[in-house]
Amino acid sequence: MRVVLQRVTRAAVTVSDEVVGSIGKGLCVLVGIHRDDTEEDMKYIIRKILNLRIFPASEQKPWDKSVMDLDLEVLSVSQFTLYGQFKGNKLDFHTAMAPTEASKFYETFLESMKKAYKPEKIQDGKFAAMMSVDLVNDGPVTITFDSKEK
């Protein structure tokens, strides 16, 4: 799994002029699923999202608190394009998990994250939909990580 994580003051996902997920302060997480991802990859990514110390505790400790420490929110957005590769000037997505399988994997990912934290604090977009993501990056702070690069 590959993640682009942004610390935000607010974020929302809109599909066809309807807001389907929104949060206040917390993390907006773009999630890509590789065709070879496993439950272990999922567990690693969830642990990192929820426990990454990316928020300040004070001016002296700018990187000391996690989403869980501060009772913040997470907006997760599925994004297969994180596994896009160039073939000339075209994009190829053959390393991304196939849509039917990825849909099930993503649902399991969301449910597992809700179980690991607080269900009401986890929001998401709409899988396989054309989404508009609106966010205010706090910092700005943007971190990328991949479960295959532990």
Side-chain angles (χ1 to χ4, degrees):
M1 294 180 77
R2 184 170 290 157
V3 167
V4 175
L5 176 146
Q6 294 183 301
R7 188 173 76 184
V8 299
T9 55
R10 63 179 160 76
V13 175
T14 304
V15 177
S16 300
D17 296 324
E18 178 188 347
V19 175
V20 296
S22 67
I23 63 167
K25 187 172 182 154
L27 298 174
C28 181
V29 184
L30 307 177
V31 180
I33 303 170
H34 189 275
R35 66 180 178 206
D36 297 331
D37 280 337
T38 66
E39 186 177 336
E40 289 307 310
D41 294 293
M42 184 186 304
K43 287 178 183 177
Y44 172 81
I45 293 295
I46 290 169
R47 189 170 56 252
K48 286 294 180 196
I49 290 169
L50 297 178
N51 293 294
L52 185 63
R53 296 186 325 176
I54 196 169
F55 294 94
S58 65
E59 282 192 30
Q60 293 77 28
K61 294 185 175 185
W63 307 99
D64 196 50
K65 298 292 182 180
S66 70
V67 164
M68 290 177 62
D69 292 334
L70 298 174
D71 198 35
L72 301 176
E73 298 175 290
V74 176
L75 176 62
S76 179
V77 181
S78 64
Q79 190 164 353
F80 75 95
T81 60
L82 290 177
Y83 281 105
Q85 297 176 340
F86 291 116
K87 285 201 169 184
N89 288 328
K90 284 183 70 175
L91 283 172
D92 179 85
F93 302 104
H94 75 276
T95 60
M97 189 175 283
T100 302
E101 189 181 352
S103 176
K104 293 174 190 168
F105 193 94
Y106 185 71
E107 278 303 314
T108 302
F109 164 77
L110 287 173
E111 289 306 313
S112 297
M113 190 160 43
K114 288 176 181 180
K115 286 178 185 172
Y117 185 37
K118 297 177 178 177
E120 69 277 9
K121 298 284 186 176
I122 309 296
Q123 296 285 315
D124 72 301
K126 185 175 181 185
F127 189 86
M130 288 299 293
M131 297 176 269
S132 294
V133 181
D134 179 35
L135 62 91
V136 177
N137 194 316
D138 182 20
V141 175
T142 302
I143 308 292
T144 63
F145 52 98
D146 194 305
S147 61
K148 305 296 189 216
E149 298 172 4
K150 297 177 199 167

